Each structure stands twice: as C-alpha cells, then as structure tokens.
Amino acid sequence: MSVTINAHQLKLLLDQTADHMGHEGIEQLHGIRLDVDSQYLYAVATDRYTLAAARYRLNHGDQNQEPWARLIPGDIVPALRQWIDTMKGAEYITISTAKDRLVFDGPLADLTVATNTALEYPDWRGLLRTIAAQTIDGEPFPALNTDFLPRWAAIRQSLRTRVTADQKAVLFFGRDFIGAQMPSRGGGLGPSEDQTFENAHSLWSWTLAAGATDVDMASLPQPQPCHWEVTRDVQETAANLLRGVLDSTSNAFNADSFDGDHDAWYAHIRAGVADWAAYRYLDALHQVDPRAALAVVADTAEQLDSGELGEWAWDMAEQAGHNPQKWQDEQQARVAKQMAEEPRKWAVRLALALNDARQADINFRVDDNPFVTYDAEAGEWKAIKPQPAETSA
C-alpha cells in the first residue's frame, strides 16, 4: 500500500496540522495521523481542544486502494519536516507501509519511521461529521480560548466558521481543510463568563451609544487611488490581475473603435493576455502549493518595488540561454522603421481631433504644416507621413 505526493504538498499537510498534536502524555494523540482512503491522503492531528484535518487528492493511479492509516510519532514529526525541506518542492515522495513501519521514499534518500499499529486513534471523521450536523441553538455566543487561535494561522488561507451553540465546537472550513475548536467554559472577568450576547453587550452599551448607527468597516480610510503600491497578498494579486484583464479588454475596444490607434489596441490586448496568463499560472501554483505562491508573490513584489525590471529580465534571459541584445536590436529596428514610414502618433490623434471638431461644427483654422493636411476628396483631415531627409549634394 503506497501513495505518491510531491514534497511541497506533503510539507503543507504537516504544517497545517503540526500545531494541533496532543502532548506525549496521550500517546495515541501525540503525532500526526496519515490516513488514506480511496480518494485522498489526509493529515490529522488533535489534542482534544482543537482538531485539524488537511487533505490531498491522490493521483489517479493511487486512487481506489484499500484504506490504511499510521500515526507519525510527535517526536519524529520535526525530523520529517526537516527531511522534506532538503528537497525541491516538485520532487515526489512515495509513502508506503510495512508491518510496523512507515517508509518515505525520496529521490535521494529514504526515511523509515517506526509506528505503533496497536494505538486506537479517535474517529475523527465521526467527530467532524457530528459537529457539522449540529443545528443552531438559540443565539450562539461561545467563548474561545485565544491561546488556541494562533494555531489556525498555519493554514495560510481564509477560513469560514460555523457556530452552533455556546458549549459546542466551532467548525472551520478552508480549501482542502477542515477543523474544529472546543469552546472554553468561561471564567475570568468580562464577556467570557457571560452566557448571552445581551449580557456581554450591556457591559459596552454606554460606550457604544456615543457612536453612529450606520457605520461600516468598509467606510474606513482607503489608500489613495493615485498611489500604486505593490501588494504581497496572493488574493489581492489575483484580483488585480483579473481587473487588469477586464480593463485591458475595455481599453482595447475603445482604442480600436474611437481612436483608430492600432498600436494602442495591440498594447491593450497584450497587457490583457499577460494578466490572464499570470492569473492562470498563479491560480495553478496556489492550488499546488499555497506557500510557494505566497513566496513568489512576495519575491515579485520586491522586484517590482526595486524598479529594475529591465535589468532583471535581461539577466534572466541570458541565464536561460536567450539573446536579449538581439531582441533589443530587433525592437529598435521596428521602431526606426515605424518612425520612417508612418505618421507620428500625436499627428494621427491631432487629425482625429480635427475631424471631431469639424463634425461638431467648430470653426478653426490650421496653418500649413508638415504633420496634418485636409484631404478635400475624402472630406477629412489626415496625418502626413514623414518625408525622407534631403541629402546634400
């Protein structure tokens, strides 16, 4: 019985669950349980107060096998995570079971872990199924121990929550992740010991009464729209890319329909295509390994802040075996040819503006010049192609 998973994904499963392991006093909870069914590989951990389960969909060849599970002892988990860190994220690891062993077969080395198959692990599926089936009981207002909340930060994604009652577990849902946290029994001073929202709210009613009744968090100050700041957030980066696609599509339509500027049309199309390609690559990377996506976005943001994109692109092109000097020469040749054979862009726009003014019955006069001329036969102003420079005899 074996499954194959890349190093990025296995490390992600362990990272998302390691903080939820039980201590050594409860042997069957002291570790991370690898659990395989016909569709997924799961990493599960609980210390009785929180429970976390992350999953990875098995490759097609690994699906539909007999279920199996092993508990990685908590003392071994740090060493296993360090062993995975020595690999490239895309490298594959095969996990297989022996009589009382769990074997991790890597590209350069293997790691064998002794496991106690006699330990009885809790029915984590049944626990989470029961919590998910709980019905809403009154107006839930559970008290959560803040010491446990940092554990969820390792998930590195937004989590949705379901609250059903004061003394029942709170459920967390994320992408390929599910977890639960038991509420505390109250105690101490303040709202944590009050049993209802009304009681806790009353402690703050005098203070809150001085505020308005229609203020929303969305009304808080936002960054100035004129100031562009590179984001290091994956979700915001994805949103900016999608917005760029929509903006480019709209601008391309306007440039082609109203300005007749084909170069601007091509520029908008290329920008939209680049944003769409970047979004698809980022989305695929985020699904494969959210941590790698976060690192790439942060690294790219730092490069954008440096303002040295040309130098970065030149060096990377040379490292990849390309010839950036040839690319630059070809671009300069295209620009020189365009400058010699086509009217200046500003002259084309001036001709378009003069035609708009004429159609609007605006009176104007244009002196003779080498840039625009009125074509009486066509009944419109046109930009003049540049004339070749006269050579001296």
Side-chain angles (χ1 to χ4, degrees):
M1 296 182 292
S2 66
V3 295
T4 302
I5 182 173
N6 69 44
H8 269 317
Q9 286 291 342
L10 180 56
K11 184 63 162 41
L12 180 61
L13 294 180
L14 299 178
D15 288 348
Q16 290 180 330
T17 53
D19 290 339
H20 301 267
M21 294 189 303
H23 60 77
E24 58 274 11
I26 308 177
E27 186 179 359
Q28 62 266 43
L29 301 184
H30 183 50
I32 296 177
R33 179 181 173 89
L34 293 186
D35 196 325
V36 175
D37 60 20
S38 63
Q39 297 294 322
Y40 294 96
L41 165 65
Y42 304 87
V44 185
T46 180
D47 64 354
R48 299 186 302 123
Y49 303 106
T50 65
L51 188 158
R55 70 183 184 184
Y56 167 78
R57 180 176 287 276
L58 298 175
N59 297 324
H60 181 73
D62 292 337
Q63 295 180 4
N64 300 316
Q65 63 177 286
E66 289 295 322
W68 58 268
R70 293 288 191 278
L71 181 71
I72 306 171
D75 295 337
I76 300 298
V77 170
L80 175 59
R81 296 167 76 183
Q82 291 176 2
W83 179 73
I84 298 172
D85 282 338
T86 64
M87 306 176 194
K88 295 181 179 179
E91 292 179 335
Y92 277 92
I93 299 171
T94 299
I95 308 172
S96 58
T97 60
K99 181 178 179 181
D100 57 354
R101 295 288 189 271
L102 194 57
V103 181
F104 297 85
D105 185 358
L108 299 178
D110 300 341
L111 181 65
T112 300
V113 177
T115 60
N116 185 350
T117 57
L119 294 176
E120 184 176 352
Y121 200 79
D123 181 3
W124 62 272
R125 290 179 176 83
L127 288 171
L128 291 171
R129 179 178 181 178
T130 300
I131 297 170
Q134 292 170 177
T135 57
I136 300 297
D137 184 10
E139 187 176 0
F141 192 52
L144 297 180
N145 188 330
T146 56
D147 290 341
F148 300 147
L149 295 180
R151 299 180 180 184
W152 308 106
I155 312 305
R156 306 302 291 269
Q157 59 174 296
S158 297
L159 296 177
R160 293 189 178 274
T161 61
R162 176 175 171 82
V163 180
T164 57
D166 290 358
Q167 299 303 321
K168 293 182 180 180
V170 174
L171 197 64
F172 296 91
F173 281 102
R175 174 179 291 179
D176 286 322
F177 180 86
I178 186 172
Q181 178 171 332
M182 286 296 296
S184 63
R185 297 292 179 177
L189 302 176
S192 62
E193 68 174 349
D194 293 291
Q195 298 303 308
T196 66
F197 171 77
E198 287 76 12
N199 290 341
H201 184 226
S202 66
L203 298 176
W204 285 87
S205 59
W206 183 86
T207 301
L208 303 181
T213 59
D214 58 351
V215 182
D216 187 87
M217 292 288 286
S219 66
L220 295 176
Q222 301 293 320
Q224 294 297 325
C226 60
H227 175 65
W228 184 73
E229 183 177 355
V230 182
T231 178
R232 286 167 168 75
D233 182 80
V234 174
Q235 301 299 332
E236 188 175 351
T237 298
N240 289 340
L241 291 173
L242 290 176
R243 182 174 181 176
V245 173
L246 297 177
D247 288 347
S248 297
T249 303
S250 176
N251 291 335
F253 173 79
N254 292 334
D256 188 50
S257 300
F258 301 110
D259 294 340
D261 190 341
H262 294 298
D263 283 343
W265 183 83
Y266 281 118
H268 291 310
I269 291 298
R270 290 188 62 174
V273 169
D275 282 346
W276 179 248
Y279 169 77
R280 291 302 306 273
Y281 297 148
L282 178 60
D283 182 59
L285 177 60
H286 189 262
Q287 292 186 36
V288 173
D289 185 1
R291 296 169 306 146
L294 180 64
V296 168
V297 168
D299 188 42
T300 303
E302 184 175 346
Q303 294 172 351
L304 292 174
D305 276 336
S306 73
E308 300 172 351
L309 296 185
E311 290 83 350
W312 285 102
W314 189 285
D315 292 342
M316 291 181 179
E318 287 186 330
Q319 292 173 10
H322 303 299
N323 188 347
Q325 183 62 57
K326 180 182 178 182
W327 294 346
Q328 186 178 66
D329 294 342
E330 291 174 347
Q331 171 66 9
Q332 292 177 346
R334 284 194 297 269
V335 172
K337 184 175 185 295
Q338 184 180 38
M339 294 288 289
E341 298 179 356
E342 298 181 13
R344 302 292 183 263
K345 292 301 178 185
W346 63 265
V348 173
R349 293 184 179 277
L350 175 58
L352 291 171
L354 294 175
N355 287 325
D356 289 341
R358 181 173 177 273
Q359 293 177 4
D361 294 329
I362 298 175
N363 294 324
F364 59 87
R365 189 188 71 178
V366 178
D367 295 332
D368 291 340
N369 64 86
F371 307 109
V372 293
T373 185
Y374 183 72
D375 186 339
E377 183 177 350
E380 62 180 11
W381 287 88
K382 293 183 178 179
I384 301 175
K385 294 183 179 180
Q387 298 299 318
E390 294 182 2
T391 57
S392 57

